[in-house]
Amino acid sequence: MNGHLNPNEPFPSGRDTEKVITQHGFKITTRKLPILKAEPIERMTGALGIAPPEMIFGDNLASIEHQETGWSVRFNAFDALDRVDKTGSSMLQVAHSKEWQTSREKKHEGITEVVKPFDWSYSTDYKGTEQSRSTLLEHSNTPIPLELLKRPDPIIFFDEVMLYEDEMADNGITLLSCKVRVMPARLLLLCRLFMRLDGVMFRIRDTRVYIEFATGEVIREYTAREDKYESVRQKLAMKGRDVPAELREPNNVVDLLPVVDQKLERSLETEQIRTKGKDAIPASVQLAAEVHKRAPSITEPYVAYAVCENLIKTCASQADYSIPQRYEKNGVVPKTASGEDLGVGKGWWYEELGLTPTFTTWSQITFLHMYILHVRLRSFPPSSAQTWHQHLLDHFFYAAEDRMVRDHNIAARSARNAYLKDLFVQWRGLLAGYDEGLVKGDAVLAAAVWRNVFKGEEGVGVVELAMVVSYLRGVVGGLERMGDAEVARGEVVFGDPGSQRRGVVGVRSRGMDTLPATAVEGGKK
């Protein structure tokens, strides 16, 4: 380690200070140690050819590695500083340094000592140090999918690593840091250079590395922003902000700075990392190829996102309902005996089956149709199935939260989150119950339908249960006969549940002759 000079001195080793997590074959590592001591700073100065910043964390690290192939991208202070202009030939930076020197020379004696023949602001266009057996990241026009990052997905790993910082002789600040955020389905690493030269300018250079685990797609985005100090100050003042405080925080000014440079690079891990030979084509790539016929410029995760959004709309429409009183002046929303908002619904589930139009009923019927899709998506290649399952579930929660706000006026996010957590628990239990029923037979499946769709209420008739069970099995079988490409295009249409009475359920078996008439025909209408 650069800063560990005496092996007998108590000091945390690099391994002791590393945080490591592995997701879907990607190993994410961060390491944080104190600033370098004098001797390693001298060695770094000699290697770089320039004096390093005031605070240099030369042992710190943030890295992402694909273990199967050895592909990696690492962020460290030395390589970042090695990208700093060492000649002083950058006219833009020299011009600013002279402007800064002229404006400050009366107040700060010896200002010329700061303006050395290199970029004294330590501005770097560092995008990480990439290692691979071949060039994986190539120029692209595909942006990072921000809509996926805006989801309230759980964060299973987060860390922030400082690489260097300099106060520019008390006339501003330059700092370079990395933040890593890992979610179950994807990760985002942000390496940000923030430079504020008081009275002169702001500069922010962001490098983002995005990885979609299901496909291994890697997108790297580099964005450079800058503007004059006074322009930023005026924009903040017009918004009524606490200007001095706001100017110290990069997140407060980044959207105020115009973009001066941007580069996008991309690779598909499924096409390049996991391919075992020249002729090996993973099943997920074959599926993606079919999907790309619909949108050739978009990769599978984005197509899955859009298709699943439409599929959830189809699932949610099966037992749609409204609460007209919510939009009436002084309207009073009626309640069920259990205290739920009572709505108005049309269609077979309400008019024929006799279910109550409430949020709970809507969610359970939507879940039923999601389960049917879930079963079919299991036939996709494993890496693809996970992506589609996740998008399907995510879009349900978006729709459920939207309905909570729109129809039920649940404004508190904490209350909505509590409902969403409960729905997730219900979904997990429903998966187990319906799976068991499909395997063990209609009696077990009917019990699961009774618990979920009919809320375990008494007086539910055999015919009603049989129609739902028959409908569920029939649609599962119908989707099984569809090709993957058809499902991936969202060409799914759910049939008429009422047809089950006229078909399978309507056929009288010899065993039914032994049952009382009330058991056969009784129950909800």
Side-chain angles (χ1 to χ4, degrees), residues 361-375:
T361 300
W362 170 82
S363 62
Q364 286 298 326
I365 302 305
T366 303
F367 275 160
L368 178 73
H369 291 84
M370 286 172 58
Y371 174 77
I372 293 170
L373 293 172
H374 192 89
V375 171

Side-chain angles (χ1 to χ4, degrees), residues 59 73 89 123 140 145 155 159 178 185 192 252 260 282 306 311 314 318 326 357 361 393-394 441 465 486 513:
D59 295 325
V73 60
S89 61
S123 296
S140 170
I155 297 176
D159 205 0
C178 290
R192 168 169 285 179
N252 296 335
V260 296
L311 289 175
T314 302
Q318 303 304 307
R326 183 69 65 193
T361 300
L393 188 60
D394 287 345
L465 280 172
E486 293 175 280
D513 294 332

Side-chain angles (χ1 to χ4, degrees), residues 41 163 220 253 338 469 516:
I41 288 178
L163 297 181
R220 179 164 62 182
V253 301
S338 60
V469 169

Side-chain angles (χ1 to χ4, degrees), residues 29-155:
T29 305
T30 60
R31 183 171 66 223
K32 294 192 286 189
L33 286 167
I35 60 176
L36 291 186
K37 298 180 180 180
E39 186 174 335
I41 288 178
E42 290 180 5
R43 293 198 299 265
M44 180 175 285
T45 301
L48 288 173
I50 61 174
E54 294 170 338
M55 290 183 285
I56 175 73
F57 299 86
D59 295 325
N60 286 5
L61 170 75
S63 72
I64 304 169
E65 178 186 3
H66 187 263
Q67 295 175 300
E68 182 181 347
T69 63
W71 175 88
S72 67
V73 60
R74 300 162 61 91
F75 292 82
N76 63 81
F78 181 89
D79 290 344
L81 289 169
D82 203 32
R83 297 286 303 175
V84 172
D85 173 30
K86 303 173 186 178
T87 66
S89 61
S90 175
M91 297 305 296
L92 176 62
Q93 294 169 13
V94 170
H96 279 305
S97 67
K98 290 180 178 178
E99 179 182 352
W100 176 66
Q101 178 180 346
T102 301
S103 66
R104 298 286 179 161
E105 62 180 351
K106 293 183 179 180
K107 294 183 180 181
H108 300 276
E109 297 295 329
I111 193 82
T112 54
E113 296 180 3
V114 180
V115 185
K116 298 178 180 181
F118 66 88
D119 182 2
W120 47 272
S121 73
Y122 298 103
S123 296
T124 178
D125 61 354
Y126 184 52
K127 304 177 186 66
T129 305
E130 186 183 6
Q131 295 180 342
S132 65
R133 298 192 184 106
S134 61
T135 302
L136 295 181
L137 298 181
E138 300 177 351
H139 174 73
S140 170
N141 294 319
T142 302
I144 291 174
L146 297 179
E147 68 278 1
L148 300 183
L149 294 171
K150 292 178 181 177
R151 296 176 175 179
D153 293 336
I155 297 176

Side-chain angles (χ1 to χ4, degrees), residues 258-271:
V259 175
V260 296
D261 188 23
Q262 187 169 50
K263 294 181 177 65
L264 282 167
E265 296 170 292
R266 170 176 172 267
S267 78
L268 269 176
E269 185 264 349
T270 49
E271 293 179 351

